[in-house]
Amino acid sequence: MLIPCPHCGLRPSEEFVPKGLAEAPRPALGGRAKPDGPAWQNYLHLRDNVADHNHEYFHHALGCRSWIVVHRHTLTHEVTGATMAADFWKADKPATTGTQDAKSPAAETAEDGQ
Amino acid sequence: MTASLPQPLRLRQGGLINRNQPLTFTFDRRVYQGYEGDSLASALLASGVKLFGRSFKYHRPRGVFSAGPEEPSALVEIDQGKAERDPNHRATMVELYEGLETFSQNHIGPLELDLMEANDLISRFLPAGFYYKTFFFGGLQAWYRFYEPIIRRAAGLGRPPMEADPHHYDKIYTFADTLVVGGGIAGLTTALSLARAGQSVLVCDERDRVGGAALWQGERFDGQSGAAYVDHLVAEIEAAGGRVLPRTTVFGVYDGGTYGALERCHDHLAKAGRRAHTARMKYHRIQADRVVYATGAIERSVGFMGNDRPGVMLASAGHAYLGRYGVRVGQQPTIFTTNDGGYAVAAALAATGADVTLLDARADSRLEAEGVRVLRGVHATQAHGRMGLHRVDYGGAQSGSLSTDALLVSGGWNPAVHLTSHTNDRRQSKPVYDANLRAFLPPELVDSEAAAGSVTGALGTVDCLASAAAAAAKFGGAALDTPAVDEAVAVSAPKELWAVPGAGKAAFLDLQNDATVKDVGLAAQEGFRSVEHMKRFTTLGMATDQGKTSNVNGLALLAAATGREISAVGTTTFRPPYTPVPMGAFAGHHRQRDYEPFRYSPVYDWAEANGATFVEAGLWMRPSWYTQTGEADWLESAVRETRATRDQLGITDVSTLGKIDIQGPDAAEFLNRLYTNGWKSLPVGKARYGLMLREDGFVFDDGTTSRLAEDHFYMTTTTAKAAAVMAHMEFVHQSAWPDLQVAFASVTDQWGGLALAGPKSRDCLAALFPELDVSNDGMPFMGVIETTWKGHTARLFRISFSGELAYEVAVPADVFDAFWREAMAVGAQWDITPYGLEALNILRIEKGHVTGGELDGRVSMDDVGLGKMVSTKKDFVGKAMSGRTAFTDPDRVKMIGLVATQVDERIIGGGIVFDSKDGPFDHTTMLGYVTSVAAFSPLKDRSIALAFIKNAADYHSKTLYVVSHVHNRAIIEVTAESPHFYDPKNEKVTG
Ligand SMILES: [Zn+2]
């Protein structure tokens, strides 16, 4: 499998370490969210695991050390794009080629820490 | 030069062998001769050998069945010697060389008189599913003691080597615009077209010589022989910049245009011709934008009684032995065919003067072959000849019996769709059954894939060339002139015939796993409708050949037995590898000591020269203890080192600790979010112990971090977690707080570090840095000084892991050895003693410091007694989840210290803790478990340990019992106390 690191270009998957689905941003700092509340449960535990396109964290551990979010189909392994993790949860994040829109980061953070 | 040993089946002329180069080889220690260009199979056949081995289950005598990689029967061992012996080579793929030694497999006693042949005689007791059912009599014990050893001895293939593989293997990245798999006429033609269009083209062919069927089929191309035309194509491809790799099997198709290929570099060379230290095989990881599957087709057989007898083979194999090797497999051969293809080999054999009879299963065929007697509407019913075929019975429109010495069978052709399905399966796109061709064709290919030649279902060379042109056009190839094909072989789709009427028990489908026509019927009877279930019940297609010659017949018979269409049954899943790949090829040079890199401290050489015994800690080699003259064992050395450190002065190498340099205006804020405790108030020139949690609230790692400047910190991590901490910091920074202005880099390899510990450590430090004030006021506990040593930066930290007054000094790695030696010289006046990991362990257990044994990913801050280290004023990684209810469960195990009651009893690591010695010693009564053990603590004069137990606070000063179920189950009596055995008030470290 090849992974398109936004920084390094197309690189073999052996250079990367996967972490899991990027389905929710980390709840905002200083929030009063309870450990068993939805924000933390969503961030840490709840994953849809669909047989379809997914957003997944990969660490370019044997490359530029960037954490990236890869858009990948879990059945075909087709990779259609990647974004820097640093940009992924920003409201004005750059588009990833050929990918579906991620969940709105704004909506995810809103439930936490208000 | 000619061969001097008889080759009765070799013709005087013909074939692509070099008759000027005879080669001598052995099979079962008998000496034979063949020629350069022979395979082991062709040379043995030429020499009159029919019996090649014994079958897996019934030990039936078996010959050679094919002339290619699909071979199910003729498996041999190559070489002898415990390390060199290499089993399960297909004799059809073994190239002859001078001195080749080969052995038949799977028999006890001589091959001709296999003592296990009784399995065949009682084979009516061994139908499919027999193993699953019968051997449950007597239960599991009976299986292990009685049935399994017998079956293991009786059923099997070759013997594995018993020592490490002595060969070298290489791994290589190979790149191409377009990969062409298969170097037959179609593959080569497509490759030439693409190479001429400027593409970088790589052709991989699994055979020793590219060309496929063109090498033996007898067709001519623009007036040239097939072999000459192939040579012409290869030369043209190479002239256009393309590459052609023979002996290279593309065995797997992976995602993103990645292909696995195995190139066999050595196995065809005489041993003297193999250059030392060069690779026996190369594993190519091919990266290609496009692929052309020109993988050809594999002929299939028909199920009838005795169709596994030595002398029965595929029709194409008989043709290949004649055309490529000049071997006539019989003087009185019989062809049994369901399609026009059988006529070509019949005619070719008749042209050599053989007495040929052709049984055509089709009543309505009108085809003739010169000099061949044709019986129409007739099929073989039984082949006779246990050690070698001598007669075949036939039935159908007429019945009778023929005297014959070779039976060549063609049941049609199965396109080699294996590779086309490796990734397409995941797209739910499986091989498609074509009812007209009676063959499975490749699934729908994606844009980067094309297929050419008989894998597309094309019948005959003219159609194959047309499919090659289409494949080339898909990828923008250059136009080529199509050669005229003369003396084209007649081809047709076969009549549908998977097994002849009445075929049963001894009508074989899978010759390697001994699966029969009857077994498929049994599977259907037992209710196995899925082809995957039938496969597992009968084991059809599960041997090393993966059923290349048998799967389609099996699934077609399953379709008939369950009243379904073949297309509804479908194929089993094709997975890599296409043919077996030695494990050594995947390992390459990553084996034994080169399996992983080793990391060495800058003072490794010093430690080695001074008696250190090393232990692998992750990739690091760390001194475990330093043996001195007269010391009996590791414990004696470690205890001496511990005492010397407590009493005087110890020195240890801490270079392996993870070190991370952190800089930027937000560095303090970043640390505040990483660690549970606060960092903003830490003054410059001070260190602080920090605890990191995972985001789920469990303890992740600990270490000290020092503030070198307002915006500059120096972090240390444990040796084991250094890489994980770095990745964790990168993750939270980039995914959660990318706006923090902080940068950090691992500097583990840039700094060497030593710890001076013991009452004299301050004196020693002062002697090393005479210009510095290292008094308790000048450098208090947790003080940090950045200075120089002989012009190099030196960082001094007053921190302690041992519980003693102690300092750590870091200097650049390239001067660390010199610094260490100076410390040894200066410290000599206080008898400075180097100590290893074992003494370090005793020291830290006595002090109650936790390490990886305790921080095992299951403990909370509170569990290890560090619950106070939480700042309530700030957020940090893991804060929210550290409030999870499980952490306040009163039954939660917490850390405690244990001291053995008896001086001479040793607590066992991993032992289970109980509060009664009466048992039962199981989960119902267990209190907890031991995590770290000091086999002997000089402080307590006996063994001590750290453990985690329930209600730890209630057990202080109580008697407990430790039992190791994986050791000797001895009951060790211990007393529980605070884990801080040594200097609980910290007077030593702060004084
Ligand atoms: Zn990168």
Side-chain angles (χ1 to χ4, degrees):
Chain A
M1 196 164 81
L2 298 179
I3 293 178
C5 175
H7 183 267
C8 308
L10 214 51
R11 304 297 306 167
S13 58
E14 294 94 315
E15 293 182 1
F16 295 81
V17 177
K19 187 178 174 77
L21 297 179
E23 288 194 352
R26 188 183 192 279
L29 279 173
R32 290 188 301 270
K34 295 280 190 329
D36 50 359
W40 279 103
Q41 293 302 334
N42 282 345
Y43 178 59
L44 282 172
H45 303 304
L46 301 181
R47 297 291 180 267
D48 290 344
N49 193 27
V50 294
D52 200 337
H53 283 96
N54 275 275
H55 286 103
E56 299 168 329
Y57 282 120
F58 278 83
H59 187 208
H60 198 185
L62 299 177
C64 65
R65 303 287 299 182
S66 292
W67 280 93
I68 63 175
V69 177
V70 176
H71 193 235
R72 187 180 73 98
H73 197 290
T74 49
L75 282 185
T76 65
H77 295 185
E78 184 187 22
V79 175
T80 45
T83 317
M84 287 292 199
D87 297 327
F88 186 71
W89 299 111
K90 289 180 181 168
D92 57 346
K93 72 185 167 81
T96 50
T97 46
T99 62
Q100 304 168 332
D101 274 354
K103 286 179 191 171
S104 158
E108 293 285 334
T109 43
E111 66 181 276
D112 180 79
Q114 304 307 315
Chain B
M1 201 168 16
T2 54
S4 52
L5 292 171
Q7 299 184 40
L9 270 58
R10 183 88 67 184
L11 298 179
R12 279 178 205 284
Q13 56 196 18
L16 300 172
I17 48 173
N18 179 3
R19 289 173 192 262
N20 293 320
Q21 187 57 69
L23 299 171
T24 305
F25 68 100
T26 64
F27 176 60
D28 282 344
R29 303 181 197 284
R30 262 183 78 176
V31 180
Y32 297 91
Q33 279 186 322
Y35 293 107
E36 188 178 81
D38 257 329
S39 68
L40 175 65
S42 67
L44 284 174
L45 284 172
S47 304
V49 173
K50 283 203 155 59
L51 185 58
F52 278 64
R54 291 280 177 163
S55 70
F56 177 72
K57 194 159 125 190
Y58 301 139
H59 288 252
R60 283 169 71 94
R62 291 281 162 80
V64 63
F65 189 69
S66 75
E70 67 271 30
E71 177 61 32
S73 283
L75 302 184
V76 296
E77 286 177 7
I78 305 287
D79 274 348
Q80 42 187 334
K82 283 184 176 171
E84 287 79 9
R85 184 173 71 209
D86 202 3
N88 302 338
H89 277 269
R90 293 152 289 164
T92 52
M93 296 294 282
V94 173
E95 293 175 54
L96 215 58
Y97 58 79
E98 182 66 29
L100 171 68
E101 293 179 294
T102 64
F103 302 87
S104 58
Q105 301 186 156
N106 199 28
H107 53 88
I108 296 171
L111 179 56
E112 293 77 10
L113 300 170
D114 180 6
L115 298 176
M116 296 308 293
E117 198 176 345
N119 273 18
D120 190 22
L121 304 178
I122 60 163
S123 65
R124 65 194 177 91
F125 298 120
L126 298 168
F130 175 70
Y131 294 142
Y132 300 125
K133 293 178 174 178
T134 313
F135 295 127
F136 287 103
F137 287 114
L140 264 186
Q141 283 305 316
W143 168 257
Y144 286 127
R145 286 196 189 148
F146 178 64
Y147 297 122
E148 201 206 11
I150 291 177
I151 291 170
R152 281 220 181 279
R153 185 141 165 79
L157 295 171
R159 299 166 302 161
M162 299 308 284
E163 288 176 3
D165 189 336
H167 301 102
H168 290 272
Y169 297 88
D170 261 341
K171 291 195 258 191
I172 181 171
Y173 276 86
T174 302
F175 298 89
D177 293 337
T178 305
L179 168 67
V180 178
V181 186
I185 287 291
L188 292 174
T189 303
T190 312
L192 178 57
S193 170
L194 298 175
R196 289 240 175 105
Q199 295 183 22
S200 134
V201 175
L202 174 68
V203 182
C204 293
D205 191 277
E206 62 193 326
R207 304 306 301 267
D208 54 314
R209 185 161 175 166
V210 299
L215 299 179
W216 47 261
Q217 225 166 23
E219 294 173 326
R220 300 185 74 79
F221 298 81
D222 282 343
Q224 301 178 72
S225 74
Y229 186 66
V230 165
D231 288 346
H232 158 78
L233 284 175
V234 170
E236 290 292 310
I237 291 166
E238 288 176 347
R243 288 165 291 164
V244 179
L245 280 181
R247 299 187 181 92
T248 304
T249 305
V250 176
F251 60 76
V253 178
Y254 305 91
D255 300 295
T258 305
Y259 305 84
L262 183 73
E263 181 184 1
R264 302 180 302 280
C265 314
H266 256 183
D267 283 2
H268 62 292
L269 299 173
K271 294 212 170 141
R274 299 176 187 176
R275 280 177 43 221
H277 308 299
T278 58
R280 177 193 184 202
M281 296 182 186
K282 279 184 200 158
Y283 163 34
H284 291 260
R285 188 193 191 283
I286 299 172
Q287 198 62 53
D289 292 343
R290 293 173 290 276
V291 64
V292 177
Y293 302 112
T295 47
I298 296 170
E299 201 166 22
R300 63 187 180 228
S301 184
V302 176
F304 60 89
M305 305 288 272
N307 62 351
D308 64 324
R309 290 304 187 196
V312 180
M313 66 174 70
L314 295 170
S316 58
H319 205 167
Y321 287 117
L322 181 67
R324 228 200 116 172
Y325 304 106
V327 175
R328 188 172 62 191
V329 293
Q331 290 175 333
Q332 201 178 9
T334 303
I335 319 297
F336 169 34
T337 188
T338 62
N339 59 84
D340 288 356
Y343 285 77
V345 61
L349 283 167
T352 68
D355 174 14
V356 187
T357 305
L358 188 145
L359 311 178
D360 192 331
R362 304 166 299 176
D364 54 351
S365 164
R366 295 285 165 267
L367 209 58
E368 295 289 347
E370 199 175 327
V372 176
R373 185 166 51 257
V374 179
L375 304 181
R376 300 187 199 277
V378 163
H379 52 259
T381 54
Q382 181 150 19
H384 301 276
R386 217 166 54 83
M387 296 294 167
L389 183 76
H390 58 77
R391 195 161 57 84
V392 59
D393 301 340
Y394 59 88
Q398 50 180 305
S399 56
S401 191
L402 284 168
S403 183
T404 190
D405 54 356
L407 178 55
L408 309 182
V409 185
S410 179
W413 289 83
N414 297 325
V417 297
H418 310 71
L419 296 180
T420 66
S421 310
H422 282 176
T423 55
N424 286 316
D425 267 355
R426 283 202 295 279
R427 301 183 186 101
Q428 313 289 305
S429 178
K430 297 237 177 197
V432 188
Y433 188 69
D434 184 313
N436 294 319
L437 291 171
R438 308 202 200 292
F440 279 93
L441 301 183
E444 191 183 341
L445 300 177
V446 297
D447 288 349
S448 59
E449 297 174 315
S454 50
V455 69
T456 64
L459 293 167
T461 307
V462 171
D463 283 0
C464 284
L465 285 168
S467 72
K474 179 172 181 178
F475 293 156
L480 299 178
D481 293 334
T482 305
V485 181
D486 309 321
E487 298 168 42
V489 165
V491 287
S492 72
K495 171 192 162 91
E496 182 161 359
L497 185 64
W498 311 104
V500 304
K505 179 174 69 70
F508 284 83
L509 297 170
D510 183 333
L511 276 75
Q512 198 166 118
N513 260 357
D514 278 346
T516 66
V517 172
K518 187 183 172 193
D519 289 334
V520 174
L522 266 177
Q525 258 180 41
E526 294 276 358
F528 295 104
R529 289 172 63 84
S530 155
V531 66
E532 299 282 3
H533 291 160
M534 181 274 282
K535 167 178 168 174
R536 283 151 184 85
F537 185 70
T538 62
T539 72
L540 189 149
M542 290 174 69
T544 65
D545 66 334
Q546 293 283 290
K548 290 188 176 56
T549 56
S550 58
N551 280 349
V552 175
N553 291 59
L555 68 88
L557 288 168
L558 180 68
T562 54
R564 287 177 296 168
E565 296 292 323
I566 291 171
S567 56
V569 172
T571 61
T572 53
T573 303
F574 293 98
R575 296 186 181 89
Y578 173 64
T579 50
V581 180
M583 292 304 291
F586 290 119
H589 291 287
H590 293 271
R591 46 186 277 186
Q592 296 177 344
R593 123 167 256 304
D594 297 325
Y595 177 64
E596 284 182 317
F598 281 97
R599 298 178 79 179
Y600 298 102
S601 156
V603 291
Y604 177 85
D605 290 345
W606 183 93
E608 194 178 34
N610 284 273
T613 296
F614 293 90
V615 62
E616 287 177 38
L619 299 178
W620 289 101
M621 294 295 283
R622 298 186 71 178
S624 223
W625 66 90
Y626 296 83
T627 304
Q628 285 197 349
T629 314
E631 286 175 349
D633 61 10
W634 66 274
L635 187 56
E636 193 177 342
S637 306
V639 168
R640 169 186 51 76
E641 293 166 14
T642 306
R643 286 203 168 105
T645 304
R646 292 259 185 257
D647 296 346
Q648 284 280 107
L649 176 60
I651 180 171
T652 196
D653 181 10
V654 295
S655 302
T656 60
L657 291 182
K659 310 174 201 77
I660 299 171
D661 194 89
I662 305 165
Q663 301 188 34
D666 290 330
E669 172 63 24
F670 184 53
L671 288 174
N672 237 17
R673 298 182 188 184
L674 278 177
Y675 282 122
T676 61
N677 44 344
W679 291 80
K680 287 194 162 172
S681 62
L682 181 70
V684 172
K686 276 285 202 178
R688 183 168 283 174
Y689 176 74
L691 194 66
M692 270 185 219
L693 304 185
R694 301 193 311 230
E695 199 70 271
D696 63 5
F698 289 87
V699 175
F700 178 38
D701 197 45
D702 66 347
T704 54
T705 292
S706 308
R707 192 165 206 165
L708 302 175
E710 274 303 310
D711 58 355
H712 188 188
F713 292 81
Y714 175 86
M715 173 187 283
T716 62
T717 73
T718 60
T719 301
K721 290 278 172 61
V725 168
M726 185 72 190
H728 169 74
M729 289 166 64
E730 286 164 336
F731 179 73
V732 294
H733 180 221
Q734 295 174 32
S735 75
W737 310 306
D739 297 331
L740 281 187
Q741 293 188 54
V742 61
F744 42 93
S746 167
V747 293
T748 300
D749 291 326
Q750 278 68 28
W751 295 88
L754 59 78
L756 297 168
K760 301 297 180 193
S761 57
R762 181 178 291 142
D763 296 340
C764 185
L765 189 73
L768 280 165
F769 295 93
E771 72 284 4
L772 287 184
D773 174 11
V774 295
S775 68
N776 205 25
D777 293 334
M779 191 178 189
F781 184 54
M782 287 296 186
V784 176
I785 296 174
E786 193 163 47
T787 180
T788 59
W789 179 77
K790 295 191 175 171
H792 304 284
T793 306
R795 290 174 180 168
L796 283 52
F797 311 89
R798 185 168 165 196
I799 53 181
S800 175
F801 191 56
S802 57
E804 295 299 326
L805 171 69
Y807 301 86
E808 288 186 16
V809 185
V811 298
D814 54 346
V815 295
F816 181 64
D817 179 68
F819 180 68
W820 175 280
R821 286 168 198 270
E822 171 130 330
M824 289 302 300
V826 168
Q829 56 193 301
W830 301 286
D831 293 331
I832 190 166
T833 300
Y835 61 97
L837 219 45
E838 291 296 346
L840 189 73
N841 206 36
I842 296 172
L843 291 163
R844 70 95 189 170
I845 290 172
E846 287 181 343
K847 183 66 183 168
H849 274 313
V850 293
T851 64
E854 287 71 42
L855 305 182
D856 63 357
R858 296 180 295 174
V859 300
S860 70
M861 292 177 285
D862 222 27
D863 297 344
V864 287
L866 296 170
K868 295 188 293 287
M869 282 191 59
V870 183
S871 164
T872 53
K873 295 184 201 134
K874 57 152 192 162
D875 201 351
F876 54 84
V877 172
K879 181 177 188 184
M881 295 308 281
S882 68
R884 62 202 303 168
T885 42
F887 288 166
T888 55
D889 183 344
D891 260 3
R892 221 178 146 71
V893 295
K894 293 193 188 329
M895 194 165 83
I896 196 163
L898 302 178
V899 180
T901 307
Q902 302 297 322
V903 175
D904 56 351
E905 281 191 342
R906 204 177 276 185
I907 306 174
I908 301 299
I912 307 297
V913 183
F914 301 92
D915 62 0
S916 160
K917 63 178 167 188
D918 302 328
F921 298 112
D922 63 20
H923 63 283
T924 61
T925 55
M926 96 176 243
L927 280 185
Y929 47 89
V930 175
T931 54
S932 293
V933 172
F936 182 82
S937 157
L939 173 72
K940 295 286 189 183
D941 198 30
R942 65 201 68 212
S943 178
I944 62 170
L946 300 179
F948 283 78
I949 62 171
K950 291 181 211 171
N951 305 312
D954 300 343
Y955 283 104
H956 273 266
S957 311
K958 299 264 170 61
T959 300
L960 296 173
Y961 303 90
V962 176
V963 178
S964 171
H965 293 70
V966 293
H967 195 246
N968 55 7
R969 301 180 74 99
I971 304 163
I972 312 291
E973 188 179 301
V974 297
T975 308
E977 61 175 77
S978 157
H980 304 290
F981 302 99
Y982 185 72
D983 186 27
K985 290 184 178 159
N986 261 357
E987 287 160 348
K988 302 263 184 193
V989 295
T990 55

